[in-house]
Each structure stands twice: as structure tokens, then as C-alpha cells.
Amino acid sequence: MDSQTVDASPQTGEGRPAATLKRNALGVLGILFFVLSAQAPLTGIAGAVPIAVAVGNGAGAPAAYAIAGAVILLFSVGFVAMGRHVVNAGAFYTYIGKGLGRTTGSGSAAVALFAYCTVQAAMYGLYGFTVSGLVEHYSGAHIAWWVWALVTMGAVQVLGAAGIELGAKVLAVFVLAEFSILLVFALVTLVKGGGPEGLDFGGTFSPSAALQGAPGVALMFAVASMFGFEATAIYGEEAREPHKTVPRATYLSVAVVTGFFAFVSWMLVSSYGPSKVTAAAGKALAGGDSTVFVFAPIAAQFGGWVNDVLPILLGTSLFAGILAFHNSANRYLFSLSREGLLPGRLRTLNHRHSPWAAGLVQTAIAVLLVMPFALAGKDPVLTLFSWFSGVGVLACMLLYFLTSVSVIVFFRRERLDTRRWNTLIAPALGALGIAAVIWVVLTNFTTLIGGDATTALWLVLAVPAVLLLGAGTARVVHGR
């Protein structure tokens, strides 16, 4: 074994070499599109920014995205350092396991699966609602939201089994479409000098602007919008030159996502004016359609056709995110099967080296998570989307924290990398920042899910329960 590399070669639970995912299938841009798809840029902007402005810190909301990006960047330093020595589709499971032990790693794998599957299910709720509305608007036919969710589950399963390259190409088309229209709007607004009050950088990014109102709420939604960037490590086995590709894709994704959300949200604030933007966002929320806050200034800039195109792009944005989380979750199932923690059939690959069996299980999980809401007649946005996106974000924050701690422990023990900034200082600062975010999320969790205190409590308790269940299963399987 190379003295600078921890052995992370795929093994079965009995220590035999196992099937591997397709090598050299993805470059930096391919991985970046998977990350951007998971973040669903238009969904994040149209869904989160109006709430961050109205309920959070008003015109200072873009500053929350910059702060969230700084915290995630600190986390990424240790994440990348670990990735140079450990390459495995299990990502969080492997990273946490190397530092904090297999039991904790297995518990974190269960939390990661829980996070990816709940966020995907949340997207199905908003996606089904969006597509149902579009079909009814253009054809007059009313088809229940859950029908579109089920049909899309089948399409996602087919695309996931068709191979990682096809998935990357499909996502590239969708992501570029939504990314482009938002970025062009922001650039045009910038070139024109902003809205009625100008660009007013200080009115958005000054300390007083950032700290007004409820900055914790804005920070919470900002961090939620960045969920999914860590997928760079999940595709390490399928990347070309993973020791170079994964770090580059990670840093690039954090920079692109942070810059994009901060810049576009700033231009949205500018288009209304810092003194009027909070009232505009509040009016959109009170009207029951927060997307109006985002779509209206874009339509004013480019014309009424935008109001027809953006809802369609919102649907494709959600579809791209659903496919990205499907690929992330089935690779976790595949990796856990390869480690002997799940049935061996889940590590079965098809002729395209795609984990199709794990994909089937992931699709079945999606059905089990989504259909109870349909059968109970629940609103797919106010319940399914709100509840599961909130608990998914909380679960992911726990994984970020455990990973930062694991990086510190791992490099103090193994001494494979002696750079203190990369293996101690940045991960420690990242852990502190993430712990602060977790506290903010817990404090404002009822607001995040848009539900009552009892529902919030049950969802919060689900995260440590899944962690303990995964850890306990590992102890039973491995006999300790």
C-alpha cells in the first residue's frame, strides 16, 4: 500500500474484492453538474430566498449565503484532505468510519441515506404539485400530484440504471437552462446599476444589514440551499484521476454555489430596493405563491414569456435534483452492501456498471415515503416538502459535523498529512461553524418545516434515532 494512502479498495463483507463502479466515467464538470442538480438552483432561489428575506434578515439575506459558503468552505478543506487518501462511494460512511470507528461510520451511513431519501421525497412533493399545475394550466386536465411523482420515479429508475454518463448529460441540459436564465437576469440587473435604490452594496452586505431581523433564519435557509455539494466524494470511484478531480470539483462547486446564490439573491434584493424588499417578499408569501417574488422582476426585465418558461424550468430543476439524489442514495446502498451491512444483491451491477438493484431499492423507499402523504390527502408542499426537506437538512448538518471531527482524529492518528490548516485548524473552525448552524436549525426548526411543535419534535428525534439504529445494526453484523 502507498505510504500516503489508506486502503479503501472495494471489499465485500468477507474481505473479498467486490464489483466496482465504472472507472474514469466523470470529469470535474460532470461531477459539478451532479452537485448543481442536487442543489436545484431555481428551486433554491424561488423557494428559499423569499422566506429568508421575509422571515429572516430582509435585505441582508444575500450576506447569509456568503456566510454559509464560508462555513462550508472551511468544512471542505478537511473533507478534501480526507478525500485524497480515501476514495469510496460511501463518502460520509467511509470518512467518518476511518476517524471515529466503523460503528459510528455505519450509523452515519444510515443518517446519510435518511437525508438523501427524505430530501428526494420532499422534492417529489413539490415536483408533483408543480407538474400537476402545469398540466392543468395548459391542458385543463387535472391529474393528482402523486400520479406524476410515481411516473417520474419510474423514469428516474431507468435513467439511473442507464449509466452515470447519461445521467450527467441529462442533468447538464436541465441545470444549464435554469442556471443561465437566473444568471443572465442578475448580470443585466448589475450592468443597469440595480433597481430603484441602485445596487446599494452596504444595504445588503454591511454588518448592520446582515444582522437585522432574524439572521439565524436566513442562515438556516442559506445552508439548506447548499445541501448536496458533498456528492463530489460519492462519485470518486467513477471519476477520472479522483485524487485530483474530486478536490477540484469540491472547491469549484462550493465557490460556484456560494457565488451564484449570493449574487442572484443580491440582484433580487436590488431589483426591489433594500427598503422595500421585505414587504415584497412578505406579500408574495401571504399570497400563497412565493415564486412570484422571484419571477416578477425577471419577467419585468425580459418580458411576460418568462412567466410561462420559469414554472417549466422549476419542474425540470426539481427533476434534476431528484435524479441527483437517486444516484447518491443508490451508491450508498451499493457501498453498504459491499461492506456486508446490507444484503449482497444490492451490490449487483448491470452491464453499464450501474448499481441497478440498489436503485430499485431506492425507488421503493421513495414510494414508501411519498405515498402515505398521498393516501392521507396531505398537501404535498406544506407537509411532504416542508417536513422532509427540514429533517434532511438537519441530518446532513450532523454528518458534516461528524466528518469534521473525524478528519481531525484521523490525521492526528495516521499522520498522512501534516498540514495543520488542512487537517486541524480549518476542520475545527468548520465544526464550530456547523455546530452553530445546527443550533440555529434546532432553534428555528418549527419555522423551517412550517409545522407545529409536536411534528417538529418527532422529526428532530428521528435523526439521532436513525444514527443509533445504523450503529446498532453494524455492531450486530460485525459481532461487536
Side-chain angles (χ1 to χ4, degrees):
M1 180 177 69
D2 188 297
S3 61
Q4 296 300 306
T5 304
V6 173
D7 183 10
S9 58
Q11 302 284 323
T12 65
E14 295 78 26
R16 300 189 308 272
T20 59
L21 298 168
K22 188 173 184 178
R23 305 290 189 182
N24 302 316
L26 294 173
V28 172
L29 290 180
I31 296 175
L32 178 63
F33 280 123
F34 274 106
V35 171
L36 293 179
S37 300
Q39 261 118 27
L42 182 56
T43 303
I45 291 292
V49 172
I51 303 174
V53 171
V55 184
N57 58 347
Y65 286 96
I67 294 170
V71 172
I72 297 301
L73 183 61
L74 287 170
F75 165 81
S76 299
V77 173
F79 188 72
V80 166
M82 179 72 91
R84 294 184 184 278
H85 302 281
V86 181
V87 178
N88 188 285
F92 283 132
Y93 160 69
T94 312
Y95 288 14
I96 294 173
K98 290 294 181 183
L100 303 182
R102 175 178 277 185
T103 299
T104 305
S106 299
S108 69
V111 174
L113 273 173
F114 179 71
Y116 289 135
C117 289
T118 51
V119 170
Q120 187 203 44
M123 286 183 158
Y124 272 122
L126 183 55
Y127 172 85
F129 174 82
T130 300
V131 173
S132 179
L134 285 171
V135 171
E136 186 168 5
H137 174 74
Y138 287 108
S139 70
H142 176 72
I143 301 175
W145 67 269
W146 56 267
V147 174
W148 295 111
L150 289 176
V151 169
T152 303
M153 288 176 195
V156 167
Q157 173 63 32
V158 171
L159 281 173
I164 197 69
E165 299 103 319
L166 179 60
K169 292 174 182 176
V170 170
L171 294 179
V173 173
F174 291 155
V175 170
L176 282 174
E178 60 181 296
F179 197 84
S180 297
I181 195 167
L182 289 171
L183 188 59
V184 170
F185 158 76
L187 288 172
V188 170
T189 304
L190 177 67
V191 171
K192 287 186 174 181
E197 299 173 29
L199 294 174
D200 196 2
F201 184 86
T204 292
F205 291 102
S206 67
S208 59
L211 295 175
Q212 68 181 327
V217 174
L219 179 63
M220 177 177 64
F221 281 100
V223 171
S225 298
M226 297 184 182
F227 176 43
F229 86 94
E230 74 290 335
T232 53
I234 294 175
Y235 299 106
E237 284 187 35
E238 297 158 281
R240 292 189 288 272
E241 297 185 274
H243 296 293
K244 295 180 180 178
T245 301
V246 172
R248 291 172 183 171
T250 301
Y251 286 132
L252 181 61
S253 65
V254 173
V256 168
V257 170
T258 301
F260 175 81
F261 276 101
F263 178 49
V264 173
S265 60
W266 176 31
M267 290 301 100
L268 281 170
V269 168
S270 179
S271 69
Y272 286 98
S275 67
K276 300 176 181 177
V277 69
T278 303
K283 182 179 179 181
L285 290 180
D289 185 5
S290 63
T291 62
V292 171
F293 174 78
V294 175
F295 292 177
I298 299 177
Q301 193 77 265
F302 299 136
W305 62 269
V306 167
N307 290 319
D308 292 322
V309 172
L310 284 177
I312 295 173
L313 288 180
L314 178 60
T316 59
S317 171
L318 288 161
F319 180 84
I322 287 168
L323 178 57
F325 281 112
H326 172 82
N327 283 323
S328 295
N330 68 27
R331 276 154 180 77
Y332 260 96
L333 291 166
F334 169 82
S335 182
L336 291 174
S337 172
R338 202 164 55 183
E339 295 287 340
L341 292 171
L342 290 176
R345 287 188 61 82
L346 294 183
R347 59 178 177 261
T348 304
L349 301 174
N350 62 17
H351 68 286
R352 294 181 180 273
H353 289 263
S354 177
W356 68 273
L360 282 174
V361 171
Q362 199 286 314
T363 299
I365 292 173
V367 173
L368 291 174
L369 289 175
V370 169
M371 288 311 295
F373 288 84
L375 295 173
K378 297 291 186 180
D379 186 292
V381 178
L382 298 180
T383 57
L384 177 57
F385 176 73
S386 298
W387 295 1
F388 279 179
S389 57
V391 76
V393 169
L394 181 60
C396 197
M397 289 300 103
L398 175 60
L399 293 171
Y400 290 176
F401 179 78
L402 291 175
T403 300
S404 293
V405 174
S406 180
V407 167
I408 296 171
V409 173
F410 174 78
F411 284 111
R412 299 282 71 73
R413 184 178 64 236
E414 299 294 338
R415 299 293 177 180
L416 294 173
D417 189 333
T418 58
R419 296 173 297 171
R420 292 179 63 82
W421 169 255
N422 297 71
T423 63
L424 177 60
I425 299 174
L429 292 174
L432 290 174
I434 292 163
V437 171
I438 291 174
W439 180 81
V440 169
V441 170
L442 290 174
T443 303
N444 299 279
F445 196 72
T446 303
T447 301
L448 178 61
I449 67 166
D452 57 65
T454 301
T455 301
L457 177 61
W458 280 109
L459 290 172
V460 168
L461 292 177
V463 178
V466 170
L467 178 68
L468 293 174
L469 178 62
T473 301
R475 292 182 69 87
V476 171
V477 170
H478 295 296
R480 66 178 190 275

